[in-house]
Amino acid sequence: MRQTCNSDGGVGSTENVQARGITLLSIFVDTPTAEPNPETKLLADFKTDTHLRKVYLAGREYLNKEGQTSVSPLIGKIMQQICTDPTLCPEYPSSFGLPEFTRRATELVLGRDCHAIVENRVLGVQTVGCTGAVRLGAELLKHWYNVSGVWCGPVYLSSPCDDSLAGIFEAAGIQDVRRYRYWDTEQRGVGVQKMMEDLEMAPEQSVIVLSASAHCPTGSDLSQKHWRLLTQLMVRCRFFPFFLLPAQGLCHGDFQQDAWPVRLCASLGMELLCAQSFSHSFGLYGERVGHLLCVLKQSSTLLAVQSQAEKQVRALWSRPSVRGARVVATVLSNPAHHVEWQEGVKSMVERGILVRERLREKLRLLGCPGSWDHLIQQGGLYCCTGLNVQQVEFLEKRRHIYLHPNGCLNPQFCLAAPPGSLQRRHTPKLAVWLCLSTHRIIRVSCLRSPLPSL
Amino acid sequence: MSIFAEVPQAPPVAVFKLTADFREDTHAQKVNLGVGAYRTDDCLPWVLPVVKKVEQMIVEDNSLNHEYLPILGLPELRSAASKVALGDDSPAIKDGRVGAVQALGGTGALRIGAEFLRRWYNGTNNTATPVYVSAPTWENHNAVFSDAGFKDIRPYHYWDGEKKGLDVTGIMDDLENAPEHSIFVLHACAHNPTGTDPTPDEWKMISEVMKRRKLFVFFDSAYQGFASGSLDKDAWAIRYFVSEGFELLCAQSFSKNFGLYNERVGNLTVVAQDKDNLARVLSQMEKIVRTTWSNPPSQGARIVAITLNNPDLFIEWKGNVKTMADRVLLMRDQLKAKLIALGTPGTWDHITQQIGMFSFTGLNPKQVQYMIKEKHVYLMASGRINMCGLTSKNIDYVAESIHETVSKVQ
């Protein structure tokens, strides 16, 4: 126990105890300070940096033309409608969330005519963002992957991946989390061969976490040809795919294409989980609109799995919050809104491509060593520059430009900012010049150096 | 072969099943006394007028964006919510040793607290620390602590079915005999499902034993304001324990007292001995949140924060809360009066002695079945009714049904 007692066995309030000259220890005295998560630390370092021209390029959001997060007028209008709608009542939603939302979220990924939907072997659960979806999926796997005993992994994550992923599986009680090689510094893209090698070595029934499109944090994805090879391997080795789809539509500007790997697995009759987010595609980050999709092999298992999912949700957050999901459901259920929204997503993609092209062009004009084609081959929110740890550190310490330690950044944060706004938004020219200086000064550990293993 | 082929069906959640059965029932006079939410006298959910007003303000405020909230939540909500629980003039708050984590409703707050305690309380990852929940308690308490990793969840005596009141001796015995450092989940007010709370003197006795035996205090506060109509009165127990020097956790829910059931607004208040301990605790809680939902939802948090931090809106909100509490008190008075007028066997004082949304009627399982099957009045097998399900239109029918049931079924 952390508290000492006084002579009559009671522990008094701080004042009483101090008056009696007794030391009182907190029951929390042995709780250590948690290591800050890398993203929080990076942002904190940026905020305390007093340099006038500091740049933050590691943001997690999509930005509009003005360099700010925003929602489209359509979304704004729908939020207003919802606010004044007298038929909407503030009741507890089910633990699965809004049925209209889960239905549309499921159709968006799989396509309305997907056999799995028609055969009633798909479960959809509204979750608290993509993190909530991954957590719920992890809990389901932990409890039910091996009914005869507790299953603890292994789960395979790409190297690199979102830095919170491993922690989510661990929090669900899955300790055996491993990596497969993904980003290849030499090729400035996905090292498919190494990836396949690593997965060939994985034990049967491993869970493989895969990015369906717009890989975080590299922006590099597999080609369809490579997806086919990978699914063959997964079927052969009896792996269980757990897809991440945080930005459907924002990779290619095409919702079907961005979900293609998930549809491929479903069409092959595989069971899978897919964690979705609508944060980016709707600009609704704060509302935490996520979805966990579960495709089963047999419809006879649906009710049981559904009941167990409900049980997990009940003890995590009981039910999700509805506001954001209601907006998304309203858009996806209305053909005219749906089209307008898709057009909006396409223009976000076009803007993203433009920024990448400008960045690459600037680098080329400045004669920056190496090839920068990978910037435009990548898609979605993130971009992996290929800079190594020393180069990233140089940028941070000497140029006050903040990237993820693995060399990944969000190119949109290079956009021009309106006067008087946060310092985090700067012109591509500045960012590029500073990238260039990195290559000129650190010649030895230049572009071809491998990234340190994660 | 599906990897899920042998997954068993989980038992249905009793209160959800009750509501589902009620929905399918076509009887004209059916009454649902199982629902866990407020209803107006027209048996409709109620959007608090202050909430409507603030929602409109939010929608029209172009300066508000849709970005992620910080991991620990909206700062204005966290501080205001803790103040509501501990009081404006709380010395603990002034000392800077009170912090909070915004969570998804009361459930989320309990879960984050439970996860923290399992990892860092009474050793590191000590899953064997006993967790005591009242007998009976909200049926989700068990699941939250169990899923957080605790292996030893035990009941403590609470409800005395014979005297239809608190089993004070039982509580005190369990407190005296619990292993040191055990965690006790205490309902701050309006105990769910019995509606029976300790008196201030009884709370003082509980506090004395818990202090002496080094037991951990984890308050569940889902009904502040809703129980008596007074925020301060309903927080008396929490404030007393803080004044007695306890370090404690308090899971708050704003689902009921703001009618924001579907926006999931909760807050885990942490009272530590000093700033330093508080900071370390919050850093670990942040890590836990990051792997659970990453950032909490913004909509409900803004509504509550704006309301609590604006003096006029705060007064308006307290009025709305009192409206709900008063309707419940009225239904209690009327139900008891009608049962007495009908000459219903037994005593019915407990109906008005109990407080909050729920009442433990004392009906036994056979009587409950009769109520449901023969009278189409739905209540939990424990005999719990939600007073909010009673209205001026159905109260006569319900009173008559109870009268008939108690007379016919033993």
Side-chain angles (χ1 to χ4, degrees):
Chain A
M1 181 53 186
R2 312 294 170 226
Q3 290 173 318
T4 52
C5 295
N6 57 22
S7 54
D8 58 31
V11 178
S13 68
T14 312
E15 279 172 3
N16 287 345
V17 163
Q18 283 171 352
R20 290 179 221 163
I22 296 162
T23 323
L24 193 74
L25 288 179
S26 165
I27 54 176
F28 304 124
V29 72
D30 290 336
T31 304
T33 304
E35 280 171 33
N37 79 65
E39 195 183 310
T40 309
K41 184 170 183 325
L42 193 71
L43 188 58
D45 290 347
F46 171 78
K47 283 187 174 152
T48 52
D49 188 337
T50 51
H51 196 265
L52 284 175
R53 298 178 80 177
K54 62 182 180 176
V55 189
Y56 187 77
L57 296 177
R60 279 198 282 155
E61 298 96 352
Y62 269 88
L63 304 178
N64 61 17
K65 292 196 290 284
E66 287 79 39
Q68 291 171 336
T69 62
S70 65
V71 293
S72 66
L74 170 67
I75 304 302
K77 193 172 69 182
I78 288 173
M79 296 196 100
Q80 176 76 30
Q81 276 169 9
I82 287 174
C83 179
T84 50
D85 185 343
T87 66
L88 291 175
C89 68
E91 283 293 270
Y92 278 125
S94 102
S95 295
F96 301 104
L98 297 180
E100 192 55 27
F101 169 77
T102 56
R103 185 178 146 210
R104 299 297 177 183
T106 299
E107 286 173 357
L108 196 65
V109 180
L110 296 178
R112 201 171 294 184
D113 307 322
C114 175
H115 285 303
I117 296 179
V118 169
E119 290 161 20
N120 196 30
R121 45 189 181 85
V122 174
L123 170 65
V125 185
Q126 182 188 334
T127 59
V128 189
C130 200
T131 298
V134 176
R135 177 64 184 266
L136 180 59
E139 295 279 354
L140 275 175
L141 289 168
K142 164 74 195 296
H143 284 88
W144 301 112
Y145 199 152
N146 178 9
V147 175
S148 55
V150 167
W151 180 79
C152 293
V155 170
Y156 279 80
L157 307 177
S158 68
S159 173
C161 66
D162 182 307
D163 57 38
S164 67
L165 269 181
I168 299 172
F169 284 96
E170 283 158 12
I174 298 169
Q175 302 306 325
D176 190 356
V177 177
R178 309 181 192 181
R179 303 301 173 106
Y180 57 86
R181 286 172 292 176
Y182 189 78
W183 171 260
D184 187 316
T185 319
E186 302 257 331
Q187 296 178 36
R188 291 281 187 275
V190 184
V192 182
Q193 196 175 336
K194 289 178 186 163
M195 176 179 173
M196 302 291 264
E197 271 171 28
D198 287 350
L199 292 180
E200 287 275 8
M201 305 291 291
E204 272 199 0
Q205 301 198 312
S206 293
V207 168
I208 318 291
V209 176
L210 298 162
S211 176
S213 52
H215 179 267
C216 169
T218 68
S220 286
D221 298 321
L222 293 171
S223 66
Q224 289 192 356
K225 176 181 128 191
H226 290 135
W227 274 115
R228 288 193 199 280
L229 285 174
L230 178 60
T231 47
Q232 278 168 19
L233 185 152
M234 286 202 289
V235 168
R236 185 165 32 90
C237 298
R238 295 167 62 202
F239 292 154
F240 186 96
F242 194 152
F243 282 101
L244 304 175
L245 188 56
Q248 188 181 359
L250 283 165
C251 188
H252 298 99
D254 179 329
F255 289 85
Q256 283 190 34
Q257 197 177 351
D258 285 2
W260 189 85
V262 186
R263 295 186 185 198
L264 172 66
C265 287
S267 72
L268 293 172
M270 293 171 80
E271 283 183 322
L272 59 92
L273 288 171
C274 180
Q276 301 162 256
S277 168
F278 292 86
S279 297
H280 299 299
S281 55
F282 278 80
L284 293 174
Y285 298 94
E287 282 76 0
R288 315 301 293 122
V289 193
H291 186 255
L292 178 71
L293 179 76
C294 180
V295 177
L296 302 163
K297 277 198 174 132
Q298 299 147 259
S299 59
S300 56
T301 56
L302 180 63
L303 285 178
V305 176
Q306 194 171 52
S307 70
Q308 296 298 347
E310 183 173 26
K311 191 158 177 270
Q312 292 304 321
V313 168
R314 278 279 281 165
L316 279 167
W317 55 71
S318 199
R319 311 119 194 288
S321 60
V322 306
R323 178 56 54 97
R326 214 188 282 287
V327 172
V328 173
T330 305
V331 169
L332 297 183
S333 309
N334 178 311
H337 289 337
H338 198 148
V339 166
E340 189 179 335
W341 168 68
Q342 284 189 332
E343 293 302 318
V345 167
K346 283 199 183 111
S347 26
M348 283 165 75
V349 173
E350 280 156 18
R351 202 163 53 242
I353 292 173
L354 220 64
V355 172
R356 288 172 184 272
E357 281 176 348
R358 278 167 71 187
L359 196 57
R360 181 184 72 147
E361 189 55 19
K362 293 277 183 204
L363 288 165
R364 188 187 71 80
L365 289 173
L366 290 164
C368 196
S371 159
W372 295 93
D373 288 341
H374 59 282
L375 293 182
I376 55 164
Q377 284 155 2
Q378 294 159 3
L381 188 64
Y382 301 105
C383 161
C384 195
T385 55
L387 298 180
N388 64 31
V389 168
Q390 293 95 323
Q391 289 161 336
V392 170
E393 208 182 306
F394 173 86
L395 279 177
E396 182 183 323
K397 299 274 179 287
R398 303 279 289 278
R399 298 293 177 218
H400 308 275
I401 297 181
Y402 292 74
L403 274 63
H404 287 291
N406 53 24
C408 300
L409 57 83
N410 179 343
Q412 305 220 337
F413 276 64
C414 299
L415 293 173
S421 68
L422 297 173
Q423 295 99 319
R424 63 181 175 169
R425 316 193 212 271
H426 285 260
T427 61
K429 190 172 173 180
L430 172 66
V432 163
W433 191 91
L434 293 163
C435 276
L436 176 65
S437 73
T438 309
H439 296 308
R440 280 186 173 163
I441 287 164
I442 307 178
R443 290 186 195 287
V444 174
S445 57
C446 202
L447 295 161
R448 301 286 165 195
S449 314
L451 287 169
S453 57
L454 291 164
Chain B
M1 170 76 157
S2 166
I3 62 163
F4 299 112
E6 285 160 58
V7 172
Q9 183 95 12
V13 179
V15 67
F16 295 166
K17 183 167 185 326
L18 194 76
T19 301
D21 291 346
F22 170 80
R23 280 209 192 106
E24 285 175 17
D25 188 333
T26 51
H27 194 265
Q29 283 181 298
K30 65 177 182 176
V31 181
N32 187 359
L33 298 181
V35 64
Y38 179 77
R39 290 280 181 277
T40 62
D41 196 58
D42 295 314
C43 222
L44 293 170
W46 191 47
V47 177
L48 273 59
V50 73
V51 167
K52 225 180 182 41
K53 189 188 281 187
V54 173
E55 276 183 331
Q56 191 62 36
M57 281 164 58
I58 289 174
V59 145
E60 287 165 5
D61 185 346
N62 292 320
S63 72
L64 289 175
N65 60 38
H66 296 272
E67 289 183 16
Y68 290 117
L69 286 184
I71 297 172
L72 289 178
L74 190 67
E76 306 88 88
L77 168 74
R78 294 159 56 206
S79 56
S82 293
K83 237 189 224 174
V84 158
L86 301 186
D88 276 336
D89 49 0
S90 161
I93 293 182
K94 290 195 171 72
D95 288 344
R97 56 190 188 87
V98 173
V101 180
Q102 181 190 335
L104 279 269
T107 304
L110 284 165
R111 182 62 184 257
I112 300 301
E115 293 273 359
F116 169 80
L117 290 173
R118 190 262 296 163
R119 285 171 174 71
W120 300 111
Y121 171 69
N122 197 26
T124 309
N125 202 36
N126 187 353
T127 59
T129 303
V131 178
Y132 282 81
V133 298
S134 65
T137 193
W138 179 48
E139 88 285 345
N140 208 18
H141 275 147
N142 228 298
V144 169
F145 282 88
S146 159
D147 278 17
F150 286 104
K151 301 270 181 266
D152 186 0
I153 300 167
R154 312 177 182 184
Y156 62 88
H157 286 89
Y158 196 83
W159 172 253
D160 185 332
E162 297 261 339
K163 71 176 220 210
K164 293 205 182 72
L166 201 65
D167 179 1
V168 183
T169 320
I171 295 176
M172 301 312 291
D173 278 346
D174 286 338
L175 288 170
E176 290 285 1
N177 294 317
E180 282 193 349
H181 316 307
S182 296
I183 297 165
F184 271 74
V185 179
L186 306 173
H187 298 229
C189 70
H191 183 269
N192 177 2
T194 68
T196 302
D197 294 333
T199 63
D201 282 340
E202 285 161 353
W203 275 123
K204 285 179 182 170
M205 282 163 51
I206 292 170
S207 155
E208 188 272 322
V209 181
M210 292 191 76
K211 201 186 281 188
R212 180 163 37 83
R213 308 224 59 257
K214 300 161 194 159
L215 303 172
F216 186 85
V217 177
F218 198 150
F219 273 112
D220 184 351
S221 177
Y223 300 100
Q224 190 182 358
F226 199 99
S228 67
S230 156
L231 291 172
D232 294 324
K233 199 153 173 240
D234 289 350
W236 186 88
I238 304 169
R239 296 175 190 187
Y240 176 75
F241 275 73
V242 172
S243 74
E244 283 293 298
F246 282 91
E247 292 178 292
L248 54 84
L249 296 180
C250 177
Q252 302 166 262
S253 168
F254 293 95
S255 295
K256 323 286 195 286
N257 56 20
F258 264 85
L260 285 172
Y261 303 96
N262 58 7
E263 298 297 354
R264 316 303 296 126
V265 195
N267 192 56
L268 178 69
T269 288
V270 181
V271 181
Q273 194 182 83
D274 54 51
K275 282 188 179 107
D276 181 57
N277 279 291
L278 177 69
R280 284 182 279 105
V281 169
L282 289 178
S283 77
Q284 292 296 348
M285 288 184 173
E286 183 167 356
K287 199 166 164 206
I288 292 166
V289 169
R290 185 85 174 92
T291 57
T292 313
W293 54 65
S294 195
N295 318 79
S298 52
Q299 176 70 9
R302 282 192 174 136
I303 295 171
V304 174
I306 290 171
T307 306
L308 295 182
N309 286 308
N310 177 310
D312 293 331
L313 293 172
F314 185 61
I315 290 171
E316 191 178 339
W317 172 60
K318 287 199 285 190
N320 290 172
V321 172
K322 191 157 186 321
T323 300
M324 293 191 285
D326 284 349
R327 191 176 106 63
V328 168
L329 288 168
L330 182 68
M331 290 297 103
R332 286 186 182 278
D333 281 339
Q334 289 189 350
L335 182 62
K336 174 179 156 184
K338 286 184 193 295
L339 289 170
I340 290 174
L342 285 167
T344 311
T347 58
W348 300 100
D349 292 336
H350 56 283
I351 302 281
T352 50
Q353 281 162 359
Q354 288 162 5
I355 195 168
M357 200 181 267
F358 302 113
S359 177
F360 242 29
T361 52
L363 295 179
N364 65 38
K366 273 180 24 196
Q367 291 167 331
V368 168
Q369 274 305 298
Y370 186 89
M371 287 281 279
I372 296 174
K373 293 274 171 302
E374 304 301 326
K375 309 306 297 180
H376 306 273
V377 175
Y378 288 73
L379 64 158
M380 302 298 288
S382 58
R384 184 192 91 168
I385 59 171
N386 179 356
M387 301 306 296
C388 302
L390 290 172
T391 69
S392 53
K393 296 160 196 69
N394 68 22
I395 194 162
D396 285 318
Y397 177 70
V398 171
E400 282 154 16
S401 301
I402 294 175
H403 177 82
E404 183 185 313
T405 303
V406 170
S407 309
K408 281 191 177 165
V409 182
Q410 263 72 54

